[in-house]
Amino acid sequence: MHGRPRKPLKAEDDAKSIAKASKLRSLQNQFLNYHRNQIFSREALEVSAELVKINPEIYTAWNYRKIAVDKFLEAVSDPVLIKNIVDEELRVVENALKQNYKSYGAWHHRKWVLGKGFSSLDRELWLLDKFLEADSRNFHGWNHRRFVAALKNIKDEEEIKFSEEKINNDFSNYSAWHNHSRLLAQLVKRDSHGNFPNECGLSEESEKLLKSEYYLAHNALFCDPEDQAGWFNYLGLLDLTVAPKAPLLTASWPSHGSNLTLSSIVQPGFCTSNGCKTSISRERVFPLILYFNQAVEGVNNSTVTVSSTCIEKRHLNWRPLSTDGLGKSKSWITYMSVPDVANPLELCQFDVSVGDSQGIISLNGYHYGLPTKFEFKLNPSSSEYSRREVNHDMVVWKDECFTKFDSLILDLNLPLTTSSHQRIGVHNRVHATEWQLDTLKSGIDLFRCLLSITDCKIGRLTLARLLTSYNIMVDGFPCTSKGSQWEEVLDLFSSLLKMDPTHAHYYKDQHSMVLIEQVTSDRDTLLKHCWHHEKQTSIGSLSNVWLRLNNLSLSRIGSFERLLWVQMLDLSHNELRSIEGMESMQLLTCLNLSHNQFGSFTSLEPLKLINSLRVLDISHNEIGGHSIDTTRYTCSSPLTHAPGVTWDSKAFVGDQEVRSDNWELILIFKNMPLTQLDIAGNPGNYEKCRTILIKALPNLKWLDGVSVE
Amino acid sequence: MGDLVVDKHVQYILSVEKKKDSFESLVMEHLRMNGAYWGLTALDLMGKLGAVDRDMVVSWVLKCQHDCGGFGGNIGHDPHILYTLSAVQVLVLFDRIDVLDIDKVADYIARLQNEDGSFSGDKWGEIDTRFSYNAICCIALLHRLDKINIEKAVSFILRCKNLDGGFGCTPGGESHAGQVFCCVGALAITGSLNLIDKDFLGWWLCERQVKSGGLNGRPEKLPDVCYSWWVLSSLIMINRVQWIDRDKLKTFILECQDKENGGISDRPDDAVDVSLCV
């Protein structure tokens, strides 16, 4: 029993309780009898009224009364009689709500009666006011208010005012805040839909609305920094301010202005079409990847055009990088054929234009913002291509194999930076407006001030969020000098870890995301993590740049839009559990995930989409060591039922080796084009699965450091 | 703190079934199908499902079915999606789904879907994302997902998403942990979890953990053991469960046990309830 103290019953309570029970028993029996025989006499209706008064949750009795009301209403036409019937029903509901104001059945019955249109909605609002005064957080009451407001066609502006009054009565009324901010967001959305007065999609009117909302939100947070009502409201408001409305292209591979040589991009064995198939094509193709600021749909030959000086326009097969079959993703890929040219020294120019015609749409229904163009050049020298073949040497990740990159040599076509601010060829991450920056700046000042008065968790967290948004915005903003404040953000998250250990992992994850953002934010910091591998020159190439983000205590990784070019990545000795989003790294050839905290094979799902992956180290993790697989539900498998995904479960189960303890292993690895896999040192003891793995991975040459042959 | 007193809990659950005449049992008579599912699942988790008479339960479940295919919460009560799901779950638990005319039940569910993708609880038209979950879960258990419009069902659920990342009963409704579970669960079954911002929702969910270690259902509310299920399973489904403190929660739940009589309550020292034993 919720909210009722546990205590032994006294004798007199016992007697009372027996009497109460026998009354209820008798009412329920009588009612079920009337219901079964569909008797709607006055006496029968009184029994049901009495019953819902004692037990408002008994849904069948409400259904019974609905049938009765419909019958009675059908029989009369006199408005007075109709009113009597309806009023009686509302009175029965009121009695029931007095007993249990959280009864779904009673509230729905009331709505049903009001929906008939014979009742005074003013009286209803008056009653609701009383009700919400008594219990200001009752979500049934608020839902009912929204229902009545819609029925009565009350304007959103008026309802905003109503919620604001409730907020002013009590700053910690989360329900009122919720109603207030949802209406505000509705107004802003209505205002900006399909119409972009400025680049972030807010009109002056909306900016004004948000400004006054900030005033209220700051007041609440500063009054009581411990109150969660203010926390979530502020976060929602920040999201309304900075979250991109229209989808935009934020990165691509090849990147704008890059000059590519064939040897740096062509990997033998790219799959060409229809996703990952078992047959590996040796066609001369290279990937073209588009990365958007949010998940989009509708990338196709009419929304994206690719033209080249040396090949004819062809139909391109674009596909979203996701396994869920929903047709929406942040990153999209197609494969281009390498042109055959007579003169091997001739450069091919490619022009890509995104969003010329409408059709690229975000999850929220916004259309692609400004049409974007970018270009790159390719040297299709075929002699280099023919030299390249798969390397059969085992890749060794030992520190002594790596030497620091000489930055002078790295004057190549590495798309290490993304800043280019022309309208054409733009790869900006965010188009910030003065208003957005001013809002963030004044927020930052205010929260610094708050922290100087009183040190509190939400103050630190909000400041960290504001600084993060601000840093990302100025990064893509042409007229502002780059004042990166990542160090401060990292310090804030580190201090939160100590201040609020209950949510330590949340702060840890945020810290990791910011760290990656910092590392990738400019060429110089990124160069510090670029290494040269002495023994490996031919596996993958891109001039043999190995990005080593090992030993950084990372629990998450992100900023993939800046890592699209990476072919060799070392993430070993971190605290990773997930590689959500890594599917965008379509050039990845060698990946070291050893000595992390991956708990299951399903957490490696993004790798299934990376057809270029050859070398994978997942040794020394926690795979098979947890009873609950927390990535099972985000991983597409025969257990999910996405409409676009069909699993031939018979073919899957038909594999004799598939057993309940290793089906996930097969799910992830089956037909991956890996040549080298390290899996030792996991609690699941997958050494026994050697034969299964060798069968599942047809190209495998090395397993746990031992040659497969 | 201490251990889970398994034997006491088994005794408690079995005794609930015998004390049918108390006021507390009578008030809940109409949702006995839910109670059966909760109690039997808890017994199953403790490895004690053999303690009940399987055939008796199955024949009682069938007596609650109506001609339309749906199930009522007890004999003589009207059909409703809430109890139809529980009935199917109980039969699945006993591995006796074969006693059903599967298409008839699935058609009943499919008929409850509305034009906008939402589901009504029964023919009287109450709409709630709880029913979206009930419908999707039930029809998935019956392997008949093709009978409903999944795309529309998902888009309705997304319309119930709020600025704080959580979900409400209907579009505009306030976020609530139980409702979040229903929506996240439905999205998980349909493989649509990529359509939500998991970090955003994850922060709201992990902040349900209060100082005592327990979890509440909405901001600024008291903790309650039932939310351990709603919040925890939602966090697991979006792979963010490490964001709360596991040990503190365990301590809180164990403190809510009635160690003498068995059963678990919403908060330490409150009265026990069979739904919470799951």
Side-chain angles (χ1 to χ4, degrees):
Chain A
M1 297 276 107
H2 289 241
R4 204 171 54 90
R6 185 191 300 160
K7 58 174 187 211
L9 286 175
K10 288 185 209 133
E12 68 255 37
D13 292 339
D14 221 20
K16 244 190 231 164
S17 160
I18 289 171
K20 236 169 95 185
S22 86
K23 184 178 176 196
L24 182 58
R25 162 67 64 205
S26 138
L27 280 171
Q28 280 183 184
N29 287 343
Q30 285 179 67
F31 160 70
L32 285 175
N33 190 33
Y34 290 134
H35 177 54
R36 193 169 47 244
N37 300 308
Q38 294 288 292
I39 294 168
F40 301 104
S41 62
R42 172 185 287 269
E43 198 188 342
L45 276 162
E46 263 165 25
V47 165
S48 68
E50 188 63 18
L51 179 58
V52 292
K53 191 175 161 186
I54 302 176
N55 186 10
E57 285 284 62
I58 183 157
Y59 69 103
T60 307
W62 292 115
N63 295 348
Y64 165 86
R65 291 195 68 89
K66 288 190 189 79
I67 299 174
V69 168
D70 277 341
K71 263 185 193 309
F72 297 158
L73 285 178
E74 227 169 77
V76 296
S77 55
D78 179 355
V80 178
L81 291 177
I82 290 176
K83 194 172 179 304
N84 285 349
I85 295 168
V86 171
D87 285 351
E88 164 65 7
E89 230 30 49
L90 292 177
R91 194 188 57 81
V92 171
V93 174
E94 275 155 44
N95 283 338
L97 286 177
K98 272 179 207 150
Q99 169 67 28
N100 178 4
Y101 57 87
K102 290 179 178 175
S103 166
Y104 284 91
W107 283 106
H108 179 250
H109 194 69
R110 194 164 185 91
K111 262 178 153 179
W112 182 84
V113 175
L114 291 174
K116 300 256 168 217
F118 301 120
S119 323
S120 153
L121 294 177
D122 288 325
R123 180 175 179 271
E124 192 67 11
L125 284 178
W126 178 82
L127 269 176
L128 256 178
D129 274 351
K130 298 256 161 228
F131 183 81
L132 285 177
E133 262 164 40
D135 181 8
S136 61
R137 290 290 308 277
N138 187 297
F139 72 81
H140 296 279
W142 281 97
N143 281 344
H144 197 67
R145 166 121 202 150
R146 284 184 277 270
F147 169 77
V148 177
L151 210 59
K152 210 174 171 270
N153 275 323
I154 300 179
K155 276 199 178 138
D156 284 353
E157 285 82 352
E158 274 180 56
E159 284 302 285
I160 288 187
K161 243 183 244 156
F162 172 80
S163 320
E164 203 166 321
E165 278 165 27
K166 291 274 163 212
I167 293 169
N168 285 330
N169 287 346
D170 175 11
F171 266 153
S172 82
N173 187 343
Y174 191 84
S175 306
W177 277 110
H178 161 74
N179 202 44
H180 193 256
S181 55
R182 121 194 133 82
L183 288 165
L184 190 86
Q186 211 160 284
L187 285 183
V188 169
K189 191 169 179 183
R190 209 178 294 154
D191 186 53
S192 62
H193 227 292
N195 152 41
F196 296 97
N198 61 42
E199 284 166 342
C200 83
L202 292 182
S203 67
E204 263 177 51
E205 197 52 40
S206 293
E207 289 180 358
K208 227 160 80 196
L209 270 175
L210 290 178
K211 210 177 253 173
S212 66
E213 184 71 3
Y214 268 109
Y215 180 75
L216 199 64
H218 286 137
N219 265 348
L221 271 175
F222 282 51
C223 258
D224 182 2
E226 295 302 311
D227 193 292
Q228 289 200 345
W231 300 8
F232 294 100
N233 178 61
Y234 195 88
L235 183 64
L237 195 52
L238 190 59
D239 196 50
L240 273 183
T241 310
V242 300
K245 308 284 181 295
L248 277 176
L249 188 74
T250 51
S252 67
W253 198 90
S255 63
H256 175 58
S258 54
N259 265 319
L260 301 161
T261 53
L262 190 59
S263 59
S264 67
I265 52 168
V266 176
Q267 289 297 314
F270 270 126
C271 307
T272 46
S273 57
N274 301 330
C276 12
K277 286 281 151 57
T278 50
S279 65
I280 288 165
S281 160
R282 302 221 163 212
E283 221 181 301
R284 299 195 333 145
V285 290
F286 68 95
L288 176 55
I289 302 156
L290 301 179
Y291 195 99
F292 296 89
N293 60 356
Q294 54 193 309
V296 294
E297 59 184 342
V299 174
N300 54 41
N301 284 280
S302 66
T303 51
V304 177
T305 51
V306 183
S307 55
S308 162
T309 48
C310 39
I311 49 168
E312 277 176 49
K313 213 166 169 181
R314 273 202 349 203
H315 180 86
L316 295 170
N317 198 358
W318 286 99
R319 74 186 164 84
L321 287 167
S322 71
T323 52
D324 56 23
L326 299 166
K328 294 163 183 139
S329 179
K330 269 185 157 179
S331 45
W332 287 72
I333 191 169
T334 191
Y335 290 94
M336 308 275 301
S337 302
V338 175
D340 287 312
V341 283
N343 177 5
L345 296 173
E346 191 187 328
L347 286 181
C348 276
Q349 160 118 11
F350 288 83
D351 291 285
V352 183
S353 126
V354 180
D356 278 341
S357 71
Q358 283 213 339
I360 299 177
I361 302 169
S362 75
L363 285 182
N364 295 327
Y366 289 103
H367 284 271
Y368 192 81
L370 299 158
T372 315
K373 284 186 172 49
F374 69 95
E375 56 182 55
F376 60 92
K377 288 192 179 77
L378 172 73
N379 178 1
S381 113
S382 52
S383 56
E384 267 199 78
Y385 174 72
S386 57
R387 272 198 292 114
R388 299 173 33 70
E389 243 317 308
V390 180
N391 187 314
H392 292 326
D393 286 349
M394 192 172 73
V395 172
V396 181
W397 294 94
K398 281 189 181 137
D399 281 349
E400 53 266 33
C401 302
F402 292 97
T403 46
K404 268 266 153 103
F405 223 99
D406 184 343
S407 59
L408 289 174
I409 302 172
L410 196 73
D411 194 23
L412 300 162
N413 300 316
L414 288 189
L416 293 183
T417 53
T418 50
S419 50
S420 157
H421 304 300
Q422 305 99 23
R423 190 41 56 88
I424 303 287
V426 80
H427 275 202
N428 286 348
R429 306 190 70 198
V430 184
H431 289 277
T433 63
E434 291 289 351
W435 178 76
Q436 284 175 311
L437 289 176
D438 285 348
T439 306
L440 290 173
K441 260 192 266 177
S442 64
I444 289 167
D445 292 342
L446 270 170
F447 278 90
R448 282 209 173 112
C449 169
L450 173 68
L451 286 175
S452 69
I453 302 162
T454 163
D455 192 8
C456 55
K457 159 177 154 179
I458 196 62
R460 283 174 183 254
L461 186 55
T462 309
L463 182 57
R465 284 171 174 159
L466 285 165
L467 286 168
T468 305
S469 299
Y470 184 78
N471 289 351
I472 290 174
M473 287 212 156
V474 293
D475 192 33
F477 199 64
C479 337
T480 320
S481 65
K482 216 168 174 180
S484 269
Q485 287 152 310
W486 292 121
E487 284 304 327
E488 187 179 358
V489 182
L490 290 170
D491 286 346
L492 284 166
F493 280 120
S494 301
S495 67
L496 280 162
L497 248 145
K498 292 182 202 110
M499 195 175 197
D500 177 21
T502 304
H503 301 105
H505 280 282
Y506 173 73
Y507 305 121
K508 176 99 206 157
D509 283 359
Q510 303 306 308
H511 187 274
S512 300
M513 297 290 264
V514 171
L515 192 62
I516 286 283
E517 189 71 31
Q518 184 194 35
V519 165
T520 58
S521 63
D522 68 76
R523 187 190 173 88
D524 291 339
T525 41
L526 192 56
L527 266 179
K528 287 182 197 141
H529 297 273
C530 289
W531 297 71
H532 180 81
H533 196 293
E534 283 176 339
K535 291 185 187 123
Q536 302 293 330
T537 46
S538 49
I539 245 214
S541 54
L542 198 68
S543 319
N544 197 4
V545 184
W546 295 64
L547 182 64
R548 301 191 74 201
L549 301 173
N550 53 331
N551 269 314
L552 292 173
S553 303
L554 295 171
S555 59
R556 276 274 290 277
I557 101 151
S559 307
F560 293 108
E561 69 269 40
R562 278 129 165 216
L563 300 173
L564 298 180
W565 56 275
V566 176
Q567 298 196 2
M568 279 80 69
L569 178 61
D570 183 358
L571 286 167
S572 64
H573 297 276
N574 281 302
E575 294 158 35
L576 295 170
R577 299 154 183 262
S578 150
I579 45 171
E580 226 176 293
M582 196 183 265
E583 63 277 359
S584 302
M585 298 179 69
Q586 286 289 312
L587 277 79
L588 206 55
T589 315
C590 303
L591 175 63
N592 187 352
L593 297 174
S594 68
H595 297 277
N596 275 288
Q597 294 174 5
F598 291 94
S600 65
F601 286 112
T602 51
S603 63
L604 303 173
E605 195 200 19
L607 303 182
K608 279 184 67 145
L609 289 166
I610 306 179
N611 299 321
S612 54
L613 193 64
R614 296 291 175 272
V615 175
L616 175 65
D617 189 344
I618 46 162
S619 62
H620 302 283
N621 275 286
E622 293 166 16
I623 300 174
H626 297 283
S627 54
I628 295 170
D629 177 358
T630 58
T631 40
R632 163 78 66 84
Y633 301 95
T634 48
C635 175
S636 176
S637 79
L639 297 177
T640 50
H641 309 276
V645 182
T646 44
W647 280 91
D648 187 355
S649 50
K650 272 195 194 118
F652 187 76
V653 178
D655 261 312
Q656 285 193 339
E657 297 89 352
V658 178
R659 296 194 316 266
S660 59
D661 58 340
N662 66 21
W663 71 271
E664 284 145 329
L665 178 139
I666 307 272
L667 176 78
I668 295 302
F669 288 122
K670 198 171 180 183
N671 296 325
M672 251 166 110
L674 293 180
T675 58
Q676 179 181 335
L677 174 67
D678 288 90
I679 197 173
N682 280 294
N685 288 322
Y686 298 100
E687 288 87 345
K688 330 177 267 216
C689 302
R690 209 178 149 82
T691 31
I692 300 174
L693 279 168
I694 291 169
K695 205 177 157 198
L697 297 163
N699 297 2
L700 200 66
K701 303 277 181 287
W702 302 94
L703 181 55
D704 284 324
V706 180
S707 170
V708 163
E709 275 123 27
Chain B
M1 192 177 143
D3 299 320
L4 193 64
V5 288
V6 173
D7 290 341
K8 295 268 188 193
H9 295 322
V10 172
Q11 285 314 312
Y12 166 71
I13 292 171
L14 294 173
S15 76
V16 169
E17 189 41 38
K18 286 173 192 129
K19 282 194 289 190
K20 277 191 204 165
D21 284 327
S22 73
F23 184 78
E24 287 72 18
S25 307
L26 282 169
V27 162
M28 292 189 286
E29 206 180 62
H30 64 276
L31 53 78
R32 189 152 170 252
M33 192 65 79
N34 293 152
Y37 169 66
W38 297 324
L40 293 169
T41 304
L43 287 178
D44 190 33
L45 289 173
M46 295 187 284
K48 295 280 161 44
L49 196 56
V52 289
D53 183 340
R54 178 174 108 142
D55 292 338
M56 213 171 82
V57 178
V58 170
S59 86
W60 169 76
V61 168
L62 286 177
K63 277 185 201 147
C64 298
Q65 194 178 19
H66 291 252
D67 291 338
C68 62
F71 289 78
N74 205 336
I75 299 170
H77 287 267
D78 288 351
H80 194 284
I81 204 165
L82 283 169
Y83 313 108
T84 306
L85 171 62
S86 286
V88 168
Q89 283 170 320
V90 167
L91 294 175
V92 168
L93 202 60
F94 283 127
D95 202 11
R96 285 306 307 275
I97 202 78
D98 57 294
V99 299
L100 285 184
D101 178 347
I102 288 177
D103 284 309
K104 194 174 167 187
V105 182
D107 287 336
Y108 168 75
I109 302 277
R111 279 198 303 274
L112 291 172
Q113 188 167 28
N114 302 306
E115 196 40 46
D116 63 356
S118 65
F119 283 84
S120 301
D122 61 14
K123 65 174 181 177
W124 295 105
E126 183 181 2
I127 290 171
D128 193 308
T129 44
R130 286 180 301 148
F131 307 147
S132 296
Y133 170 75
N134 294 149
I136 288 169
C137 182
C138 186
I139 215 154
L141 286 171
L142 297 171
H143 298 283
R144 293 292 186 278
L145 270 160
D146 53 311
K147 288 194 190 254
I148 59 169
N149 186 332
I150 297 179
E151 215 181 315
K152 277 189 175 181
V154 167
S155 92
F156 177 77
I157 291 170
L158 294 178
R159 277 180 56 212
C160 298
K161 197 180 68 178
N162 290 316
L163 286 175
D164 58 18
F167 293 85
C169 308
T170 47
E174 184 183 341
S175 301
H176 180 286
Q179 227 72 43
V180 169
F181 166 82
C182 289
C183 294
V184 170
L187 294 176
I189 295 171
T190 56
S192 323
L193 283 173
N194 285 338
L195 300 178
I196 56 169
D197 186 332
K198 300 180 201 82
D199 283 340
F200 220 96
L201 172 61
W203 184 56
W204 187 88
L205 281 169
C206 80
E207 283 294 346
R208 296 308 99 242
Q209 186 162 39
V210 299
K211 287 206 174 71
S212 67
L215 301 170
N216 62 16
R218 287 192 283 160
E220 301 297 319
K221 289 271 185 177
L222 291 171
D224 179 326
V225 168
C226 82
Y227 295 115
S228 306
W229 166 253
W230 305 123
V231 175
L232 210 57
S233 49
S234 301
L235 280 168
I236 287 172
M237 286 188 279
I238 61 167
N239 192 25
R240 301 287 187 277
V241 73
Q242 69 274 17
W243 286 358
I244 60 159
D245 189 325
R246 195 167 159 250
D247 293 333
K248 270 177 131 179
L249 175 63
K250 219 160 106 186
T251 311
F252 175 81
I253 296 178
L254 291 172
E255 276 170 4
C256 292
Q257 293 185 106
D258 184 335
K259 286 196 182 166
E260 271 129 59
N261 305 311
I264 297 175
S265 61
D266 56 351
R267 285 182 275 282
D269 297 328
D270 275 2
V272 295
D273 188 326
V274 72
S275 68
L276 298 173
C277 295
V278 177

